[in-house]
Short mmCIF file of all heavy atoms in Angstrom, two decimals:
data_model
loop_
_atom_site.label_atom_id
_atom_site.label_comp_id
_atom_site.label_asym_id
_atom_site.label_seq_id
_atom_site.Cartn_x
_atom_site.Cartn_y
_atom_site.Cartn_z
N ALA A 1323 -4.57 4.63 -3.95
CA ALA A 1323 -3.66 5.72 -4.28
C ALA A 1323 -3.48 6.68 -3.12
O ALA A 1323 -2.38 7.24 -2.93
CB ALA A 1323 -4.18 6.48 -5.51
N THR A 1324 -4.54 6.88 -2.34
CA THR A 1324 -4.46 7.80 -1.21
C THR A 1324 -5.18 7.20 -0.01
O THR A 1324 -6.02 6.31 -0.15
CB THR A 1324 -5.09 9.17 -1.54
OG1 THR A 1324 -6.48 8.97 -1.85
CG2 THR A 1324 -4.39 9.84 -2.71
N LEU A 1325 -4.85 7.74 1.16
CA LEU A 1325 -5.57 7.42 2.38
C LEU A 1325 -5.88 8.75 3.04
O LEU A 1325 -4.96 9.49 3.41
CB LEU A 1325 -4.74 6.54 3.31
CG LEU A 1325 -5.39 6.16 4.64
CD1 LEU A 1325 -6.66 5.34 4.40
CD2 LEU A 1325 -4.42 5.38 5.51
N GLY A 1326 -7.16 9.06 3.18
CA GLY A 1326 -7.51 10.41 3.60
C GLY A 1326 -7.08 11.38 2.51
O GLY A 1326 -7.33 11.17 1.33
N ALA A 1327 -6.38 12.43 2.90
CA ALA A 1327 -5.92 13.41 1.92
C ALA A 1327 -4.45 13.22 1.57
O ALA A 1327 -3.88 14.03 0.83
CB ALA A 1327 -6.14 14.83 2.47
N VAL A 1328 -3.81 12.16 2.09
CA VAL A 1328 -2.37 11.97 1.92
C VAL A 1328 -2.11 10.80 0.98
O VAL A 1328 -2.60 9.69 1.21
CB VAL A 1328 -1.68 11.72 3.28
CG1 VAL A 1328 -0.16 11.58 3.09
CG2 VAL A 1328 -1.99 12.85 4.25
N PRO A 1329 -1.33 11.01 -0.10
CA PRO A 1329 -1.05 9.90 -1.02
C PRO A 1329 -0.28 8.77 -0.34
O PRO A 1329 0.50 9.01 0.59
CB PRO A 1329 -0.18 10.57 -2.10
CG PRO A 1329 -0.48 12.02 -2.00
CD PRO A 1329 -0.77 12.29 -0.55
N LEU A 1330 -0.50 7.57 -0.81
CA LEU A 1330 0.28 6.41 -0.38
C LEU A 1330 1.28 6.11 -1.49
O LEU A 1330 1.01 5.35 -2.42
CB LEU A 1330 -0.63 5.20 -0.14
CG LEU A 1330 -1.57 5.29 1.07
CD1 LEU A 1330 -2.58 4.15 1.05
CD2 LEU A 1330 -0.79 5.28 2.38
N GLU A 1331 2.42 6.74 -1.40
CA GLU A 1331 3.45 6.56 -2.42
C GLU A 1331 4.83 6.62 -1.78
O GLU A 1331 5.03 7.25 -0.75
CB GLU A 1331 3.33 7.62 -3.51
CG GLU A 1331 3.42 9.05 -3.02
CD GLU A 1331 3.15 10.06 -4.11
OE1 GLU A 1331 2.61 9.65 -5.17
OE2 GLU A 1331 3.49 11.24 -3.93
N ARG A 1332 5.77 5.96 -2.40
CA ARG A 1332 7.11 5.83 -1.85
C ARG A 1332 7.75 7.19 -1.59
O ARG A 1332 7.63 8.11 -2.38
CB ARG A 1332 7.99 5.02 -2.80
CG ARG A 1332 9.37 4.72 -2.24
CD ARG A 1332 10.16 3.85 -3.19
NE ARG A 1332 11.42 3.47 -2.60
CZ ARG A 1332 12.33 2.72 -3.20
NH1 ARG A 1332 12.10 2.26 -4.42
NH2 ARG A 1332 13.46 2.42 -2.60
N TRP A 1333 8.43 7.29 -0.44
CA TRP A 1333 9.17 8.50 -0.08
C TRP A 1333 10.50 8.46 -0.83
O TRP A 1333 11.46 7.84 -0.41
CB TRP A 1333 9.38 8.52 1.43
CG TRP A 1333 10.00 9.76 1.98
CD1 TRP A 1333 10.27 10.92 1.32
CD2 TRP A 1333 10.41 9.97 3.34
NE1 TRP A 1333 10.84 11.83 2.17
CE2 TRP A 1333 10.94 11.28 3.40
CE3 TRP A 1333 10.39 9.17 4.47
CZ2 TRP A 1333 11.44 11.81 4.59
CZ3 TRP A 1333 10.90 9.69 5.66
CH2 TRP A 1333 11.41 11.00 5.71
N LYS A 1334 10.54 9.13 -1.97
CA LYS A 1334 11.67 9.00 -2.88
C LYS A 1334 12.95 9.65 -2.37
O LYS A 1334 14.06 9.20 -2.66
CB LYS A 1334 11.30 9.57 -4.26
CG LYS A 1334 10.19 8.79 -4.96
CD LYS A 1334 9.86 9.40 -6.30
CE LYS A 1334 8.74 8.62 -6.98
NZ LYS A 1334 8.37 9.20 -8.30
N ASN A 1335 12.83 10.75 -1.63
CA ASN A 1335 14.01 11.45 -1.15
C ASN A 1335 14.21 11.29 0.35
O ASN A 1335 14.65 12.22 1.03
CB ASN A 1335 13.94 12.94 -1.53
CG ASN A 1335 12.72 13.62 -0.93
OD1 ASN A 1335 11.77 12.95 -0.52
ND2 ASN A 1335 12.74 14.94 -0.86
N ALA A 1336 13.88 10.12 0.87
CA ALA A 1336 14.07 9.86 2.29
C ALA A 1336 15.54 9.98 2.67
O ALA A 1336 16.42 9.64 1.87
CB ALA A 1336 13.55 8.47 2.64
N PRO A 1337 15.85 10.46 3.87
CA PRO A 1337 17.26 10.56 4.29
C PRO A 1337 17.94 9.20 4.22
O PRO A 1337 17.31 8.16 4.45
CB PRO A 1337 17.15 11.04 5.74
CG PRO A 1337 15.84 11.77 5.80
CD PRO A 1337 14.93 11.00 4.88
N SER A 1338 19.22 9.22 3.89
CA SER A 1338 19.96 7.97 3.73
C SER A 1338 21.20 7.90 4.61
O SER A 1338 22.01 7.00 4.44
CB SER A 1338 20.37 7.79 2.26
OG SER A 1338 21.14 8.89 1.82
N SER A 1339 21.34 8.83 5.55
CA SER A 1339 22.49 8.81 6.45
C SER A 1339 22.04 9.34 7.82
O SER A 1339 21.05 10.07 7.92
CB SER A 1339 23.61 9.69 5.90
OG SER A 1339 23.25 11.06 5.95
N PRO A 1340 22.78 9.00 8.88
CA PRO A 1340 22.44 9.53 10.21
C PRO A 1340 22.38 11.05 10.24
O PRO A 1340 21.49 11.63 10.87
CB PRO A 1340 23.55 8.97 11.10
CG PRO A 1340 23.97 7.70 10.42
CD PRO A 1340 23.87 8.00 8.96
N ASP A 1341 23.32 11.70 9.56
CA ASP A 1341 23.33 13.17 9.55
C ASP A 1341 22.07 13.73 8.88
O ASP A 1341 21.52 14.75 9.32
CB ASP A 1341 24.58 13.68 8.82
CG ASP A 1341 25.85 13.49 9.63
OD1 ASP A 1341 25.75 13.24 10.85
OD2 ASP A 1341 26.95 13.58 9.04
N ALA A 1342 21.62 13.04 7.82
CA ALA A 1342 20.41 13.52 7.12
C ALA A 1342 19.18 13.35 8.00
O ALA A 1342 18.28 14.20 8.00
CB ALA A 1342 20.25 12.76 5.81
N TRP A 1343 19.12 12.25 8.76
CA TRP A 1343 18.01 12.07 9.68
C TRP A 1343 18.05 13.13 10.78
O TRP A 1343 17.00 13.66 11.19
CB TRP A 1343 18.03 10.67 10.29
CG TRP A 1343 17.56 9.61 9.36
CD1 TRP A 1343 18.30 8.62 8.78
CD2 TRP A 1343 16.22 9.42 8.87
NE1 TRP A 1343 17.52 7.84 7.96
CE2 TRP A 1343 16.24 8.30 8.02
CE3 TRP A 1343 15.01 10.08 9.08
CZ2 TRP A 1343 15.10 7.84 7.37
CZ3 TRP A 1343 13.87 9.62 8.45
CH2 TRP A 1343 13.92 8.52 7.59
#
Side-chain angles (χ1 to χ4, degrees):
T1324 61
L1325 179 62
V1328 182
L1330 291 170
E1331 58 186 16
R1332 185 177 185 180
W1333 186 7
K1334 295 180 181 179
N1335 60 342
S1338 57
S1339 69
D1341 287 344
W1343 284 110

